[in-house]
Amino acid sequence: MGSNTEHNAPCGCGSGKKYEDCCGAPKGKVESMRVKDLNVFELTPGLADALSASLDDSYLEYYGAACSGRSTKEAEARIAAIPEEKRYLTRVLDSLDGAFADFDTKTAMLDLPHMQKRQPEAIKRYLKFRLRQFTMLLDAVEDDVGETYPATGGHS
């Protein structure tokens, strides 16, 4: 074995998998991606697979390289070349616009007692999960805007 990592040692990335089944696995096309620290990601069955399927291969290459410790520069260059209308964040923002264009809390609450497949407690957990995702996105955008466009003393 050409590495100092033991055969059954846990992977250093925190996935909980064995190194040989994770970042130490033979490198090939990334079939899916992991989202660290979001163990409720599978709250909706198949969500991880759906996300992986919806991403341009360049994003998957980036995550595969980052997880394995390889350079992400080539994948970053490919991501930069993706047209804005096909970018992941554009699709997220557009789907939020579509989902909330006609949102009304009172109407949604009329449905709550009649939900058969999605129980109210599961809906609550799901909404909290999504809120955490949106909060993480908002925090990341705020950090980036703060670094890229530093305050100008109150002037726009």
Side-chain angles (χ1 to χ4, degrees), residues 74-117:
E74 287 182 30
E76 287 176 33
R78 283 194 276 284
I79 290 169
I82 297 172
E84 186 169 341
E85 66 275 4
K86 294 185 184 241
R87 291 187 174 279
Y88 171 71
L89 184 55
T90 299
R91 292 195 334 257
V92 168
L93 296 173
D94 288 349
S95 68
L96 286 172
D97 284 347
F100 289 101
D102 61 350
F103 180 77
D104 177 72
T105 303
K106 187 168 181 79
T107 303
M109 295 310 296
L110 290 171
D111 285 340
L112 194 58
H114 309 290
M115 301 295 282
Q116 299 298 313
K117 292 184 180 182

Side-chain angles (χ1 to χ4, degrees), residues 42-56:
E42 287 300 330
L43 193 62
T44 300
L47 188 57
D49 291 337
L51 175 61
S52 295
S54 75
L55 289 176
D56 183 281

Side-chain angles (χ1 to χ4, degrees), residues 112-130:
L112 194 58
H114 309 290
M115 301 295 282
Q116 299 298 313
K117 292 184 180 182
R118 296 184 183 205
Q119 298 299 315
E121 191 58 37
I123 293 169
K124 180 180 168 183
R125 285 193 317 272
Y126 179 76
L127 291 172
K128 283 184 175 184
F129 162 69
R130 287 300 190 189

Side-chain angles (χ1 to χ4, degrees), residues 54-65:
S54 75
L55 289 176
D56 183 281
D57 285 342
S58 302
Y59 293 102
L60 298 176
E61 289 172 29
Y62 174 88
Y63 290 117

